[in-house]
């Protein structure tokens, strides 16, 4: 897993203590997670209501599997994105803030993966229901590729490029 020290300058900002840096980085991380939480909660809410919709009984076996994968992935992403805020409340004013920061970073990555799977499955479900199975794979695959590249691979490539420049 990518550690915070690998992705950020190990030195504090000018005039910033170690504690201030950890506080700042945790605040930045929690702000970023707030954006992701909103998106995953909207998707999760939609998925929770879907089985109670009038036409859901018409969804075939593949569609039901796509629904189930999307629902579980959205739930997992929600748990991962909400955990840092919940732990922050429980660990408030303890010496565990830096540990919480590292854990929140890892949970953010896991949540992004869960959200990518949920979005991919949800798009494939809608496409499979509206159009047909092969376009569902095409559209779902496009979402999977876009989220994998933009959320995971492109930042990793950037880390390796900056590492090579510093070497």
């Amino acid at each position: 897993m990518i550690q915070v020290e690998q992705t950020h300058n190990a030195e504090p900002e000018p005039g910033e203590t170690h504690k201030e840096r950890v506080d700042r980085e945790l605040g930045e991380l929690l702000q970023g997670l707030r954006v992701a939480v909103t998106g995953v909660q909207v998707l999760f809410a939609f998925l929770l209501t879907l089985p109670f919709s009038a036409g859901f009984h018409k969804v075939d076996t593949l569609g039901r599997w796509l629904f189930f994968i999307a629902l579980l992935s959205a739930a997992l992403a929600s748990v991962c994105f909400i955990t840092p805020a919940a732990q922050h409340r429980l660990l408030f004013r303890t010496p565990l803030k830096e540990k919480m920061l590292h854990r929140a970073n890892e949970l953010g990555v896991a949540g992004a993966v869960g959200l990518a799977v949920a979005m991919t499955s949800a798009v494939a479900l809608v496409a499979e229901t509206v159009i047909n199975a092969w376009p569902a794979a095409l559209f779902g695959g496009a979402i999977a590729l876009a989220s994998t590249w933009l959320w995971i691979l492109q930042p990793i490539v950037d880390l390796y490029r900056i590492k090579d420049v510093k070497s």
Side-chain angles (χ1 to χ4, degrees):
M1 185 62 57
I2 299 168
Q3 295 298 315
V4 174
E5 290 86 14
Q6 293 173 325
T7 60
H8 295 295
N9 185 358
E11 297 297 315
E13 301 263 337
E16 186 179 47
T17 67
H18 178 75
K19 182 190 178 313
E20 290 169 337
R21 187 191 84 192
V22 170
D23 289 345
R24 175 182 52 79
E25 288 179 347
L26 184 59
E28 291 170 358
L29 182 64
L30 290 173
Q31 278 298 105
L33 291 176
R34 282 187 186 106
V35 172
V37 163
T38 304
V40 77
Q41 285 180 329
V42 169
L43 177 59
F44 190 40
F46 164 74
L47 290 168
L48 286 173
T49 63
L50 198 58
F52 304 104
S53 300
F56 188 75
H57 69 281
K58 295 178 187 174
V59 174
D60 65 5
T61 303
L62 174 61
R64 289 179 186 272
W65 275 107
L66 289 169
F67 165 76
F68 190 68
I69 292 166
L71 180 70
L72 290 181
S73 299
L76 175 66
S78 293
V79 168
C80 289
F81 288 146
I82 293 169
T83 296
Q87 287 189 2
H88 183 255
R89 292 296 60 179
L90 290 169
L91 299 174
F92 186 68
R93 293 189 177 164
T94 68
L96 298 173
K97 193 175 281 186
E98 191 166 3
K99 181 177 184 74
M100 185 175 32
L101 174 63
H102 292 279
R103 185 179 297 145
N105 186 59
E106 292 171 351
L107 286 164
V109 172
V113 170
L115 180 55
V117 171
M119 289 172 47
T120 298
S121 301
V123 166
L125 168 63
V126 171
E128 195 267 339
T129 303
V130 174
I131 304 172
N132 209 336
W134 80 261
L138 181 70
F139 293 128
I143 297 301
L145 286 173
S147 58
T148 300
W149 172 251
L150 294 170
W151 296 356
I152 309 292
L153 296 177
Q154 191 176 42
I156 290 172
V157 167
D158 290 343
L159 284 172
Y160 282 107
R161 285 183 180 159
I162 197 167
K163 180 182 168 189
D164 289 343
V165 170
K166 288 183 177 181
S167 301

